[in-house]
Amino acid sequence: MTDNKIKEYIYFDHSATTPVLPEVAEVMNNCFLKYFGNPSEPHMPGRQAKKILEDSRHEIASALGASDSEIIFTGSGTESDNMAIFGAADANSKKGNHIIITAVEHPAVAMPCKMLQKKGFKVTYLPVDRYGMIDPSDVKKSITNKTILVSVMHANNIVGTIQPVEEVGKLLKGTNIIFHIDAVQTFCNIKTDVNSLGADLLSVSGHKIYGPKGVGALYIRKKTRIKPFIFGGGQEKGWRSSTENIAGIAGFAKAASIGSKDMKSRAEHLTAMRQYLKKGILETIDGVAFNGHPEKRLPGNCNFSFNFVEGEAMVLRLDAAGIAVSSGSACSSSSTKPSHTLVAMGITPQDAFGSLRITLGYENTYGQVDYFLGSLKKIIMDLRRISPLKKG
Ligand code: PLP
């Protein structure tokens, strides 16, 4: 399968974002050029836009196993997460002030919780094991009579570990504690059925599934007590005022429809290619550790720590060789702190700094993986030769 003559730029950073599918771009282009109406207006352009909006809602609802009326479009996965946390806290503060999240949540969940802590809320951060996984019995042990919300990400954006969210959902069933799942990394990658997961709230985002950036959705199970936090013209039945981003929403829905249909075949291809890549690295490079769960992980995610090299240096050298990978998550890779996910897993700061996240997409090929393996080996040997971290 070796093809060391690859000249095109290789994109292996699909957990940061994905390219927009041509079918998605076409749908969006049609909205920009033809269906530009404001869906709140009763005239024909408005009605056309409204139909696209409602058809798109139906598409997202179907992909999540939800009813159309339970889907609210938002401006991003971050906004969906913020709405879930702030909205649930605001609506239930009279009942209690205790929130449970994991130590490895995305900042879109962790930061709103930090803000709430400043306002008097108590937050329990569930520990994770060396694979980055929580123990559902810790959720049970952490619940108090003041607990109003539990938020657990479906899969981690750094190491790809899939959390036992179904078990958490089961143990919260019948309580009046709201269960939020950040499914931004799993939507269209693995099954995200709101009923089998037991979610009351669930966040998804367009640009992780070959759709556009700047659009997301929040699933709100009927009768879940949450409050809106963007006010204005009362769009989205008052849940989220703002004239709807019709082109973005239509593109998101198209990507979700293709993604749900192709999920199984994409996952099979990604899992096999990931295993091939993992084997290639572990067999040809020494001083390397594989991070995250060996099996319960996102199909396309691989994460490694390499001794005596800096993740940032590897990213820059690989970029120069025509390959995009990540040394952390896009939202925090400018930070000089080691990834909080890796630290929570008990990985030393040095190994955390030496980590590389490779997230494959369904359009990637084995030839690209071979080219990557060859380039990475050379880069690591070179970096280790000049590394001040390597003694002797
Ligand atoms: N949650 C997770 C797990 C993510 O990986 C991301 C993005 O990386 C987000 C939330 C934020 O989504 P968005 O980029 O749409 O704001």
Side-chain angles (χ1 to χ4, degrees):
M1 278 186 236
T2 307
D3 175 5
N4 277 323
K5 288 188 213 80
I6 286 186
K7 283 279 180 286
E8 90 272 30
Y9 194 95
I10 298 170
Y11 188 74
F12 280 175
D13 198 12
H14 291 78
S15 274
T17 197
T18 52
V20 168
L21 289 175
E23 298 93 316
V24 169
E26 195 188 326
V27 162
M28 293 181 71
N29 205 31
N30 252 337
C31 291
F32 289 130
L33 301 177
K34 277 205 228 157
Y35 305 117
F36 57 86
N38 184 327
S40 298
E41 295 295 345
H43 47 54
M44 191 186 72
R47 291 197 310 274
Q48 285 172 333
K50 177 86 177 161
K51 175 153 177 19
I52 293 174
L53 175 64
E54 295 314 321
D55 288 351
S56 302
R57 197 184 310 282
H58 181 68
E59 204 65 70
I60 300 291
S62 308
L64 291 171
S67 305
D68 297 6
S69 60
E70 295 173 312
I71 301 298
I72 299 303
F73 286 111
T74 65
S76 61
T78 299
E79 189 190 312
S80 301
D81 283 343
N82 272 243
M83 183 172 170
I85 305 296
F86 287 130
D90 194 15
N92 297 281
S93 59
K94 286 205 179 75
K95 272 205 311 209
N97 66 348
H98 180 228
I99 297 171
I100 301 172
I101 68 168
T102 79
V104 295
E105 290 304 309
H106 189 275
V109 165
M111 290 306 290
C113 289
K114 287 235 151 59
M115 308 275 284
L116 288 170
Q117 266 179 300
K118 287 189 192 147
K119 292 186 177 163
F121 280 80
K122 305 249 177 307
V123 181
T124 299
Y125 297 86
L126 300 170
V128 293
D129 64 13
R130 69 191 171 105
Y131 298 129
M133 198 176 282
I134 59 157
D135 179 345
S137 70
D138 286 337
V139 177
K140 203 168 179 181
K141 283 182 221 147
S142 308
I143 292 172
T144 71
N145 59 1
K146 296 267 182 241
T147 308
I148 53 168
L149 172 69
V150 174
S151 181
V152 178
M153 70 197 323
H154 196 182
N156 183 265
N157 48 307
I158 306 292
V159 292
T161 298
I162 298 168
Q163 298 293 354
V165 280
E166 288 94 339
E167 285 177 57
V168 178
K170 274 192 198 117
L171 73 88
L172 293 177
K173 205 176 161 94
T175 69
N176 53 9
I177 300 169
I178 294 173
F179 184 30
H180 169 245
I181 299 176
D182 176 345
V184 167
Q185 290 290 341
T186 50
F187 187 42
C188 293
N189 273 321
I190 60 170
K191 205 167 156 230
T192 47
D193 180 89
V194 290
N195 293 314
S196 44
L197 297 177
D200 297 310
L201 302 171
L202 183 137
S203 306
V204 289
S205 172
H207 72 109
K208 311 286 186 182
I209 65 159
Y210 298 87
K213 294 169 186 58
V215 60
L218 180 65
Y219 159 77
I220 308 176
R221 185 179 291 280
K222 277 183 201 81
K223 297 197 179 133
T224 303
R225 281 171 56 91
I226 86 159
K227 279 191 182 165
F229 83 127
I230 297 182
F231 299 95
Q235 289 90 345
E236 295 294 275
K237 292 205 213 91
W239 281 108
R240 198 258 186 187
S241 291
S242 286
T243 302
E244 293 90 344
N245 167 12
I246 297 298
I249 289 170
F252 181 21
K254 183 72 184 174
S257 137
I258 297 172
S260 316
K261 186 168 57 64
D262 295 351
M263 185 163 68
K264 198 164 167 277
S265 58
R266 281 183 187 177
E268 278 166 13
H269 170 60
L270 284 171
T271 306
M273 203 160 46
R274 175 192 93 211
Q275 275 156 357
Y276 178 77
L277 187 150
K278 178 180 172 186
K279 194 162 171 269
I281 288 192
L282 297 180
E283 282 178 359
T284 58
I285 301 173
D286 56 13
V288 51
F290 184 68
N291 297 322
H293 200 280
E295 286 111 36
K296 289 180 183 151
R297 63 190 302 132
L298 289 170
N301 174 299
C302 264
N303 191 305
F304 300 90
S305 286
F306 297 92
N307 290 346
F308 314 122
V309 281
E310 294 271 334
E312 276 306 296
M314 286 186 276
V315 168
L316 295 176
R317 295 286 282 265
L318 284 163
D319 177 48
I323 306 161
V325 294
S326 171
S327 61
S329 76
C331 326
S332 60
S333 52
S334 56
S335 155
T336 49
K337 284 195 199 141
S339 146
H340 72 286
T341 295
L342 298 178
V343 171
M345 288 162 61
I347 291 172
T348 62
Q350 192 167 322
D351 282 348
F353 279 124
S355 74
L356 205 61
R357 179 184 74 173
I358 303 124
T359 46
L360 304 170
Y362 81 91
E363 74 282 14
N364 290 139
T365 64
Y366 282 87
Q368 292 177 328
V369 173
D370 285 334
Y371 175 78
F372 165 75
L373 290 171
S375 308
L376 181 68
K377 188 169 181 201
K378 275 190 236 138
I379 288 169
I380 288 189
M381 278 166 56
D382 206 32
L383 287 173
R384 280 185 180 160
R385 208 167 26 79
I386 55 169
S387 172
L389 301 168
K390 192 166 183 178
K391 297 179 201 94

